[in-house]
Amino acid sequence: MKKYIGGRIVRAILSIFIVTVIAMTMIYTLIPRKLIFKTDPNYQKVASKTDDRARYMNTAYERLGYITFEEQGDMCKAYAKDNYDACMEADSSYINEIVEEHYSDYTIERYKGTGLVYATKDQPIASIVFNFFKNMIVIDHPYRVNDSSNPDLERKIYWGTDYNGLPALMGSGTEHKYLIYFDSSFPFVHQNIISINLGQSYPSYAYVDIIKVISQGQGSEKSTLQKFETGIESTSAVIQHSCTYKNTKNLDKLDTNKFLDNYAQCDTMKKDPSMIGTSMLFGVLGLLIAYVIAVPCGMLMASYKGKLFDHIGTVWINFMIAVPSLAFIFFGRQIFYLLGFPLAFPTYGAQDVRSYIPAVVVLGLLNTGSLMLWTRRYMLDQASADYVKFARAKGLSQNEIYRKHIMRNAIIPMVHNLPANIILTITGAVLTETVFAIPGTGKLLPDAISEHNNSMIVALTALYTSLSIMSVLLGDILMTLVDPRIKLTDDGGTN
Amino acid sequence: MSELNNKFVFVKEDITESEHIAAPKYSYWKSVFKQFFSKKSTIIIILVALTVITLSIVDPMISHYDGISHVNINNPSMKYISPNLQYLFGTNNYGDNLWNVVWIGARNSLGIAGLTTLITITLGVVVGAVWGYSKSMDKWMIEVYNVIANVPFTLVVFVLMYVLGRGFWQLIFAMSVTSWLGTAYFIRTQVMIIRDREYNLASRCLGTSTWNIVKNNILPYLVSIIVTSISRDLPSYISLEVFLAWLGIGVGESTPSLGKTISANRTYMTSTPYLFWIPVAVSAIITVSLYIAGQTLADAADPKTHR
């Protein structure tokens, strides 16, 4: 069994890898790179100035990992440190020599205004892919921070107490100050040692880590009265546990007022839940409604097979499967509107219950069709099994047979989909979220496509594929737990 | 005794009689149609489906409306006419007759869904039949299936539409490139169930080729399964087209479609609601009627329902 699951995990990782590589290769080779600037407002500002535009574009390309980009300043700093000023003149002999010697495989161009040189080199697709996977898992360690303005920085990991007086594993020289810490929110123990990096978003949420885009709170800042290391108490939205290293030259008075060391780059607390949080909240509540309605209905349909209830249920199932979900969502929204609910989520915002009810109910009902269909199917499959006939022969009541025999067996195949249903709520319900203007993850991918946010598309492909593959594996394992008769391996029970 | 004998007459020996089988005559397709048309509600649904399909084919031929050139765009009196006898569905913001807009859109949407279904079902059935039959192929295909099947379908379509660009054929490609594998897997499982039955074993012993066994012994059993797949796929591709158009990643600018009409008219949801709700209703009618007609046909095609 362990061997089997190990094999499954290896294959799952391989599948994720293959799918991501295919997606990356297609996106980075088939789509003109320049399109990422199409919807970037900052690009529009520099678009008319040739030099600024070139610098802006190449900087963006370099940050996103498309190219390596060196300007004359970088070249002179690297190869002619002693004669930097002489080197920095336009068309100086130094720079011509450097270019010839070190940048022969680069494309060399000159800024029209200053005449200074810059060099670009395309990253091959293989190295873009390699870097994506290389940077995917980041482990924090005491030698991670490089700050030339703070040479005396201690490099250590130690147990200390955080600003609340609780014990915490802290670091110096690490990216994060608090590596392991405790607080009152679920799951109470948190860590900052291992983090996942899926690249940076661009042009929307420019240069923000994609993981942060989807997992950080949204809306306006929420300030609370906090105590800082320096003893100051002030109302602030800073999340102290998230603080990361800030270079000494960037530290300002506000930072030194609050913090004793360089760890002053902190996330802020927001009023509304994150994209993932929002989508999961809607998704899980919707699922709950779907299961609460569909499972009993499917069971009743099975036990009254061929009767009126079964017919009504079948009409509903056919209706739900066949009607385009868009039509159903709009229909549902209109009905809730007539009942006095808002048309869109932002009307009353995340703090009002009325914003949630229409979307949650619509989402729940959308799922009932196929769920009822399968519940009914599984129940009927069991109802004609031999053990049911035997139970009837023993004289058990119909009710008892359904409750104790059929239902317990019919639930097994339904358990299989449960992890996938719950986990994939993270990916959001694209249509429902679009129609109700819910700030969840659902609209992220379509928006990324219309904005040509390539890195976001790649990251979401990798993320959604991993979630989907892992949840299928989880479903298989859960099924063996619910029903010990099921073996994932076919080696005759010798495992 | 002799009295009794007188009551019986010897029947003449007839050689041809032994050639007839005592069971009542059974024709598969006759039974399918008899079963199919046995319910009145089915006939209504089929009429609806046929009307919709006919209208979407015939109307664009008569009206010559192409969805791009807006003839009445400079004629304000033609715009936003509410549905009446002359303009059954009213006119839209360009002064176009919404009736024509809807039916040319329906034609393209049906075309996209129909072609996609055709491709996925053909590929799926052919590959699935061989896949289920050949054990050496199963080893490889199951790995390919495991890699692809777990990738969310909408994700595949999104990324492909992004990479390939918007368009009629691109959309068909994006929707069918991985989904045929699902059909193939479905067929493979069914074939595997039938494959090892005794009569196939006997057939193989007599030297029938794999292809002939698949074609003559296995595929006929799959008719109802295939029809079920079609009746499920066709509406789902129409819905998907609507879904993609709504998000702005469907067919290109020059191809009118139901999804694009719905998406373009969403701004009129409160001011002139009929512009939005009529295309939505038409799309719902198309998908529901096709789905139910298909499901009934699938039930009728299942030999177990024939009595």
Side-chain angles (χ1 to χ4, degrees):
Chain A
M1 189 67 186
K2 266 180 202 151
K3 199 176 150 199
Y4 172 79
I5 289 176
R8 277 286 294 267
I9 291 173
V10 169
R11 280 181 208 188
I13 291 170
L14 197 70
S15 317
I16 297 165
F17 179 75
I18 292 171
V19 170
T20 315
V21 169
I22 292 174
M24 283 184 97
T25 316
M26 285 197 310
I27 288 168
Y28 288 129
T29 54
L30 293 177
I31 294 188
R33 189 182 292 169
K34 219 184 153 194
L35 285 175
I36 59 170
F37 300 109
K38 213 174 157 187
T39 55
D40 181 9
N42 290 328
Y43 175 78
Q44 310 303 332
K45 286 177 201 155
V46 295
S48 55
K49 300 168 204 151
T50 325
D51 287 357
D52 289 354
R53 189 181 63 205
R55 182 175 288 128
Y56 185 85
M57 285 172 70
N58 286 324
T59 313
Y61 287 151
E62 189 180 32
R63 289 186 77 164
L64 296 172
Y66 285 117
I67 61 170
T68 17
F69 171 51
E70 304 282 344
E71 287 185 280
Q72 188 155 345
D74 307 317
M75 300 183 198
C76 288
K77 229 182 248 170
Y79 298 106
K81 236 178 190 171
D82 306 334
N83 304 309
Y84 183 72
D85 289 335
C87 172
M88 278 304 284
E89 275 170 36
D91 211 17
S92 66
S93 57
Y94 287 105
I95 193 68
N96 289 341
E97 215 169 274
I98 291 170
V99 164
E100 213 162 284
E101 206 173 311
H102 300 283
Y103 295 91
S104 51
D105 51 343
Y106 282 64
T107 318
I108 308 292
E109 269 168 281
R110 273 169 206 284
Y111 289 117
K112 289 203 174 64
T114 56
L116 293 181
V117 170
Y118 66 91
T120 54
K121 186 172 80 171
D122 276 8
Q123 285 275 12
I125 177 70
S127 84
I128 297 180
V129 172
F130 177 76
N131 284 332
F132 178 78
F133 285 102
K134 197 187 83 185
N135 301 331
M136 202 173 209
I137 292 170
V138 186
I139 296 171
D140 210 352
H141 56 84
Y143 295 92
R144 194 145 162 242
V145 168
N146 283 316
D147 183 7
S148 52
S149 51
N150 186 11
D152 304 329
L153 182 69
E154 266 189 282
R155 308 275 179 187
K156 61 171 183 182
I157 292 176
Y158 59 100
W159 279 99
T161 50
D162 67 0
Y163 63 99
N164 275 332
L166 290 168
L169 186 66
M170 293 157 72
S172 183
T174 48
E175 182 70 27
H176 289 88
K177 178 165 186 174
Y178 297 101
L179 300 176
I180 296 175
Y181 60 93
F182 304 92
D183 67 11
S184 57
S185 62
F186 185 79
F188 312 115
V189 186
H190 307 266
Q191 62 91 24
N192 279 323
I193 302 171
I194 300 168
S195 50
I196 290 171
N197 172 22
L198 293 175
Q200 292 177 335
S201 172
Y202 186 88
S204 42
Y205 310 99
Y207 303 128
V208 180
D209 282 349
I210 288 167
I211 283 290
K212 283 198 172 170
V213 171
I214 59 177
S215 64
Q216 261 180 2
Q218 304 176 86
S220 52
E221 290 189 346
K222 180 184 170 188
S223 300
T224 48
L225 189 64
Q226 292 191 45
K227 203 176 162 189
F228 288 93
E229 294 167 334
T230 47
I232 280 188
E233 273 197 46
S234 74
T235 50
S236 163
V238 161
I239 305 169
Q240 294 194 45
H241 279 140
S242 72
C243 291
T244 55
Y245 192 87
K246 197 173 187 178
N247 273 1
T248 311
K249 58 181 175 198
N250 297 333
L251 283 177
D252 56 22
K253 190 88 179 79
L254 280 172
D255 295 329
T256 47
N257 265 345
K258 288 176 184 165
F259 300 102
L260 295 169
D261 46 25
N262 280 44
Y263 291 92
Q265 182 87 48
C266 312
D267 296 337
T268 50
M269 199 123 56
K270 298 284 172 62
K271 279 203 169 108
D272 300 343
S274 65
M275 291 187 182
I276 285 188
T278 313
S279 280
M280 280 198 86
L281 184 66
F282 275 98
V284 170
L285 287 176
L287 265 185
L288 211 66
I289 289 185
Y291 273 93
V292 165
I293 293 176
V295 173
C297 282
M299 288 177 172
L300 282 176
M301 281 171 72
S303 49
Y304 294 107
K305 188 181 175 244
K307 307 251 172 66
L308 183 67
F309 188 79
D310 190 25
H311 290 312
I312 296 172
T314 312
V315 169
W316 173 255
I317 290 173
N318 287 338
F319 180 76
M320 289 312 296
I321 290 178
V323 169
S325 26
L326 191 74
F328 182 80
I329 294 169
F330 270 108
F331 190 67
R333 189 178 82 148
Q334 206 65 27
I335 286 174
F336 273 104
Y337 181 62
L338 296 176
L339 293 174
F341 287 94
L343 274 177
F345 183 80
T347 315
Y348 295 121
Q351 313 300 330
D352 195 308
V353 188
R354 282 175 295 174
S355 311
Y356 292 88
I357 292 171
V360 165
V361 173
V362 166
L363 208 54
L365 290 179
L366 269 179
N367 286 325
T368 52
S370 56
L371 209 53
M372 269 165 82
L373 180 76
W374 286 112
T375 311
R376 177 179 177 275
R377 183 77 266 143
Y378 294 138
M379 291 287 283
L380 286 180
D381 284 350
Q382 293 298 327
S384 57
D386 286 342
Y387 74 91
V388 172
K389 286 176 196 154
F390 182 61
R392 201 165 286 141
K394 280 193 297 187
L396 293 183
S397 73
Q398 192 70 1
N399 186 16
E400 218 167 355
I401 295 173
Y402 265 96
R403 220 159 23 91
K404 290 198 176 153
H405 289 71
I406 298 179
M407 205 177 88
R408 287 188 189 175
N409 279 299
I411 269 175
I412 297 161
M414 282 158 61
V415 160
H416 187 239
N417 289 329
L418 201 62
N421 283 344
I422 294 172
I423 291 174
L424 293 183
T425 56
I426 290 177
T427 64
V430 182
L431 272 183
T432 315
E433 287 181 10
T434 321
V435 171
F436 285 96
I438 296 165
T441 40
K443 216 173 169 307
L444 220 45
L445 190 59
D447 279 352
I449 285 173
S450 58
E451 284 156 356
H452 295 279
N453 192 340
N454 291 346
S455 41
M456 178 74 89
I457 297 171
V458 168
L460 292 180
T461 306
L463 182 67
Y464 291 178
T465 309
S466 326
L467 288 175
S468 165
I469 290 177
M470 286 305 174
S471 57
V472 171
L473 178 60
L474 221 65
D476 284 350
I477 295 171
L478 190 65
M479 205 161 68
T480 59
L481 293 181
V482 172
D483 184 0
R485 289 173 300 182
I486 295 172
K487 295 258 177 341
L488 294 174
T489 42
D490 53 356
D491 53 8
T494 51
N495 45 344
Chain B
M1 252 336 239
S2 62
E3 256 176 55
L4 213 70
N5 271 341
N6 288 340
K7 284 187 180 170
F8 286 88
V9 184
F10 278 102
V11 178
K12 247 191 182 170
E13 196 180 14
D14 186 1
I15 309 167
T16 56
E17 198 71 9
S18 64
E19 295 296 311
H20 289 293
I21 297 167
K25 270 186 189 167
Y26 173 78
S27 152
Y28 175 72
W29 288 108
K30 240 182 217 167
S31 312
V32 169
F33 284 111
K34 203 174 141 200
Q35 181 83 11
F36 187 52
F37 291 109
S38 61
K39 265 201 246 166
K40 266 185 197 141
S41 57
T42 318
I43 296 173
I44 296 171
I45 291 284
I46 293 163
L47 283 179
V48 171
L50 282 178
T51 317
V52 166
I53 293 172
T54 321
L55 274 174
S56 62
I57 295 170
V58 173
D59 188 74
M61 287 180 185
I62 303 170
S63 69
H64 300 294
Y65 175 76
D66 60 359
I68 311 164
S69 48
H70 306 295
V71 188
N72 295 321
I73 194 158
N74 291 321
N75 183 0
S77 62
M78 278 299 290
K79 294 180 184 179
Y80 305 112
I81 301 173
S82 296
N84 55 36
L85 278 180
Q86 194 191 352
Y87 300 106
L88 271 181
F89 288 177
T91 60
N92 68 3
N93 49 322
Y94 296 117
D96 295 336
N97 190 348
L98 191 64
W99 175 265
N100 298 334
V101 178
V102 162
W103 293 121
I104 195 167
R107 185 194 70 183
N108 287 341
S109 295
L110 274 169
I112 291 167
L115 282 173
T116 311
T117 314
L118 186 74
I119 294 169
T120 52
I121 294 288
T122 315
L123 259 178
V125 169
V126 172
V127 175
V130 182
W131 177 6
Y133 204 84
S134 143
K135 275 177 185 155
S136 54
M137 189 179 167
D138 189 45
K139 261 186 220 160
W140 291 101
M141 286 302 287
I142 206 81
E143 295 297 327
V144 174
Y145 175 77
N146 282 338
V147 172
I148 292 172
N150 292 334
V151 184
F153 178 55
T154 41
L155 184 73
V156 174
V157 178
F158 279 1
V159 172
L160 280 174
M161 286 310 282
Y162 177 52
V163 173
L164 302 171
R166 299 166 60 182
F168 185 85
W169 296 106
Q170 284 93 325
L171 184 59
I172 292 176
F173 178 79
M175 292 204 295
S176 49
V177 72
T178 60
S179 47
W180 68 269
L181 208 60
T183 317
Y185 182 76
F186 185 56
I187 298 290
R188 163 229 179 226
T189 316
Q190 302 299 325
V191 170
M192 278 183 146
I193 294 168
I194 307 166
R195 176 186 68 186
D196 291 333
R197 295 212 173 134
E198 282 79 359
Y199 62 86
N200 280 326
L201 199 71
S203 192
R204 206 175 323 144
C205 289
L206 291 171
T208 320
S209 69
T210 304
W211 173 243
N212 273 334
I213 292 181
V214 169
K215 189 171 63 122
N216 298 329
N217 295 7
I218 295 175
L219 278 185
Y221 272 89
L222 299 177
V223 172
S224 91
I225 293 164
I226 293 169
V227 177
T228 312
S229 291
I230 294 175
S231 78
R232 220 178 31 192
D233 288 355
L234 204 58
S236 79
Y237 290 134
I238 293 176
S239 302
L240 191 64
E241 193 276 318
V242 173
F243 169 75
L244 290 173
W246 179 266
L247 300 171
I249 34 187
V251 287
E253 293 301 326
S254 56
T255 321
S257 79
L258 263 185
K260 266 178 62 188
T261 311
I262 293 172
S263 175
N265 289 356
R266 68 175 120 180
T267 42
Y268 304 105
M269 211 182 306
T270 43
S271 57
T272 41
Y274 68 91
L275 277 183
F276 175 76
W277 287 104
I278 287 177
V280 169
V282 168
S283 71
I285 289 169
I286 292 177
T287 52
V288 172
S289 62
L290 285 178
Y291 177 77
I292 293 177
Q295 288 290 315
T296 323
L297 182 61
D299 280 348
D302 188 356
K304 279 179 241 153
T305 61
H306 300 167
R307 261 172 279 168

